[in-house]
Amino acid sequence: MNTGKTPNRSLLYVALLAATLMAPGPSYGVEPDEILEDPQLEERARLLSQDLRCLVCRNENIDESNAELARDLRILVRERLVAGDSNDAVIDFVVDRYGEYVLLKPTTTGANWLLWAAGPIMLLMSLLTAGVFLRGRKRASETPETELSEDEQKRLKEILDR
């Protein structure tokens, strides 16, 4: 027989709901003073910022990063958009200034094609090497063993008798 008090289930549900609501959500690095007044330009800036890498945080886009350089890049993107640049022109400007590493999704032009093709090329080379190796092993096991000649048998007997 349980003599202790049982907790009220509705109180537990309320506590769980409160804990869930107080849990931290995703935080963005965009500060209120950076946000543009024109909602269309701000939306374009956010889309562009998601494709640009924070050079301090490495694998984080500048929209989520709190680094100073990411803030500078966000402001630069917004300045270029206010100046009337297209999305491609803004990306080209940032890439010209900071290099192609700033793109989270690098292009497949220039020397980057080798990086994109390296994985499949290495896979094909390893499959080819494995095929040649297995074919060679199969041929080696198919060759019949030859008996020793009489001279070889005499020489072997002399060596073993010593």
Side-chain angles (χ1 to χ4, degrees):
M1 185 167 146
N2 188 0
T3 59
K5 292 185 178 182
T6 59
N8 188 353
R9 287 186 185 233
S10 61
L11 184 60
L12 285 175
Y13 291 134
V14 169
L16 182 61
L17 178 64
T20 304
L21 292 175
M22 291 187 330
S27 64
Y28 297 105
V30 178
E31 297 178 20
D33 62 334
E34 298 174 26
I35 297 175
L36 296 173
E37 292 179 14
D38 183 0
Q40 290 177 341
L41 283 180
E42 180 60 29
E43 181 65 27
R44 285 177 56 201
R46 289 288 177 107
L47 288 173
L48 291 173
S49 296
Q50 290 174 359
D51 291 336
L52 296 174
R53 178 190 319 269
C54 173
L55 299 173
V56 175
C57 306
R58 304 292 170 127
N59 283 332
E60 191 173 31
N61 64 40
I62 64 172
D63 200 36
E64 297 172 351
S65 176
N66 290 323
E68 276 298 314
L69 183 58
R71 175 180 165 81
D72 293 343
L73 283 170
R74 287 191 303 266
I75 291 172
L76 176 68
V77 165
R78 284 167 172 76
E79 286 173 354
R80 301 304 303 176
L81 288 174
V82 168
D85 287 356
S86 68
N87 290 359
D88 291 336
V90 172
I91 295 293
D92 290 343
F93 181 82
V94 174
V95 168
D96 287 344
R97 183 176 261 191
Y98 293 98
E100 203 167 311
Y101 181 73
V102 78
L103 296 175
L104 278 173
K105 297 174 188 167
T107 62
T108 55
T109 58
N112 285 346
W113 72 268
L114 182 60
L115 294 174
W116 285 99
I121 289 172
M122 294 299 284
L123 176 66
L124 290 174
M125 288 175 50
S126 63
L127 290 174
L128 180 66
T129 302
V132 168
F133 176 75
L134 291 174
R135 180 174 282 191
R137 282 188 64 190
K138 186 177 180 182
R139 284 186 188 154
S141 65
E142 290 176 356
T143 57
E145 295 183 19
T146 57
E147 303 257 342
L148 294 177
S149 68
E150 287 184 29
D151 291 337
E152 292 171 335
Q153 287 178 356
K154 286 180 186 176
R155 177 72 181 137
L156 179 61
K157 185 170 170 69
E158 288 175 10
I159 292 173
L160 291 175
D161 287 341
R162 287 188 193 168

